[in-house]
Amino acid sequence: MAEKKKFTLEYEVKSSPKILFSFLNEPNGLAQWFADDVEYKDQIYTFTWDNEEHKAKLLSMKENKLVKFKWLDDEPQCYFEMEIIQDELTNDVALAITDFATPENIEERKLIWDNQMQYLVSVLGA
């Protein structure tokens, strides 16, 4: 099995960091764009897509800045992170996504993130 490689994507988001953050860490916010349903209990998020559950542990969170998750069934070094970046001069806001995938799946994973981000932007009305 090929080792997973880390990759990072960045998307411009026309939103305040505070509003955007609620869509990254709150189950009802995540369920509006990231998964069909999201539940949270004891530091574990249960994400549901097409009636299939995937569990992730919340590794770290910085208010209005960053959320980092680890899939429970994934390799130890792998995680996915969503970081809000705000330009100090222009106040433009971007969302940086860090994720892991095998080399042959990176392009597919990037397309999935592109689609998810389109949902997020439409939900934000940005």
Side-chain angles (χ1 to χ4, degrees):
M1 187 178 200
E3 187 175 318
K4 292 186 176 183
K5 303 279 184 217
K6 182 168 142 180
F7 66 94
T8 303
L9 305 168
E10 193 171 304
Y11 301 91
E12 186 178 343
V13 182
K14 293 182 180 4
S15 172
S16 75
K18 186 175 183 179
I19 291 171
L20 180 55
F21 188 72
S22 70
F23 284 90
L24 304 182
N25 76 314
E26 294 176 8
N28 62 342
L30 284 159
Q32 290 185 51
W33 71 280
F34 186 70
D36 299 335
D37 188 43
V38 181
E39 294 178 13
Y40 175 76
K41 184 178 181 185
D42 300 328
Q43 300 292 313
I44 302 294
Y45 284 75
T46 302
F47 298 95
T48 305
W49 289 276
D50 299 325
N51 296 318
E52 194 175 308
E53 290 186 351
H54 298 272
K55 294 184 183 287
K57 180 176 176 57
L58 179 65
L59 294 180
S60 63
M61 178 171 26
K62 294 179 186 159
E63 189 75 24
N64 300 331
K65 182 82 178 138
L66 174 126
V67 200
K68 185 174 183 179
F69 296 97
K70 159 109 183 66
W71 296 114
L72 296 185
D73 59 357
D74 206 351
E75 297 170 18
Q77 77 279 11
C78 297
Y79 60 88
F80 73 100
E81 178 180 272
M82 297 180 278
E83 181 180 8
I84 299 168
I85 302 166
Q86 187 166 25
D87 187 290
E88 291 180 17
L89 295 175
T90 63
N91 277 336
D92 288 347
V93 174
L95 185 61
I97 307 289
T98 302
D99 199 357
F100 287 79
T102 55
E104 65 272 13
N105 289 336
I106 284 181
E107 287 310 311
E108 180 183 341
R109 186 68 65 97
K110 286 179 179 180
L111 286 174
I112 291 170
W113 278 113
D114 288 349
N115 287 335
Q116 297 306 95
M117 288 304 299
Q118 285 179 344
Y119 286 130
L120 177 59
V121 167
S122 68
V123 167
L124 289 167

